[in-house]
Amino acid sequence: MPADPIKRGAFITVEGGDGAGKTTLARALAACLVDAGHQVRLTFEPGGTELGNHLRSLVLNPDLDLSDWEETWLFLAARASHVSKVIRPALQDGEIVISDRYADSTLAYQGFGRGLDLDRLRRVNDEATQGLMPDLTLLLDVPAKVGLQRTRARTSSRDRIGDAALAFHEQVNAGFRELANLSAGRVIVIDAARDATLVRAAALKTLREWLDRQLGDSPGVAEPGSADQ
Ligand code: T5A
């Protein structure tokens, strides 16, 4: 079981650049875990609480002029609310929490992307999360151009960060890969340029192996759709 003494569940995050397929994968993983009998809390950032949802619409508003640190504090305020109101209570109830983005996104986007000081970002992240780090992070790696094509094919609506230049998104992706190298025990990189079915299969294999190690006799992870068979 995870080391944090107040925690009984497991905390999994799905990370990656814009359009990497995080939401698609997080939903699929949650469904497979539920089918296998786990209690699952699927959540996301920025958002997941009433305050987080308000802050999401502010921080992504393309008409709002924010400095890089103003942007950062909004993400952190949303995260603090998310941790204290959703993630910690669910973990204390023994649930498996799957969060679509979390603290690594701030290091990748505001650190590697915007160029803010990484050590300072780590400190403020730590304050916002009260030191809560994921037990497992699945990092979806896809070329920035492909990810942006996917999001832009889906919607024409603009957002402050998604609309940034390709070079920014490439720096973010390089940042995610560097973070994965620094936290190789926690972060597993998944090639997300493939068909969504293959991405899901690779992620499920990783998750099964990880759960076997962490939770021993837990119900594991069901094959997609097996509950209907
Ligand atoms: N942000 C966030 C920060 O700067 N700092 C922070 O601390 C945090 C928390 C909003 C923005 O905020 C920034 C990062 C973001 O710019 P978001 O809402 O998670 O965060 O934004 P996006 O990453 O842009 O979310 P998307 O929903 O657009 O992308 P996903 O979740 O990665 O992708 P998904 O699953 O929605 O898929 C996008 C499209 O691609 C298809 C899907 O069907 C969908 O149409 N798709 C695939 N197509 C082909 N092959 C695959 N393998 C596919 N997987 C999915």
Side-chain angles (χ1 to χ4, degrees), residues 32-40 94 96 207-208 211-212 215-223 226:
C32 292
L33 287 167
V34 167
D35 286 350
H38 293 281
Q39 293 288 319
V40 178
I96 296 181
L207 183 57
R208 267 195 206 102
L211 279 174
D212 283 348
L215 305 175
D217 59 355
S218 85
V221 190
E223 287 296 332
S226 60

Side-chain angles (χ1 to χ4, degrees), residues 64-85:
L64 193 62
D65 181 28
L66 294 176
S67 73
D68 293 343
W69 273 105
E70 286 170 331
E71 174 182 287
T72 303
W73 293 122
L74 293 180
F75 282 118
L76 292 169
R79 181 159 308 131
S81 165
H82 192 212
V83 168
S84 65
K85 292 206 166 72

Side-chain angles (χ1 to χ4, degrees), residues 18 20-24 56 79 101 106 110 151 154 194:
D18 283 43
K22 299 172 299 298
T23 307
T24 304
R56 178 186 180 90
R79 181 159 308 131
R101 293 198 185 279
T106 301
Q110 281 64 52
T151 56
R154 186 187 53 183
R194 298 171 285 177

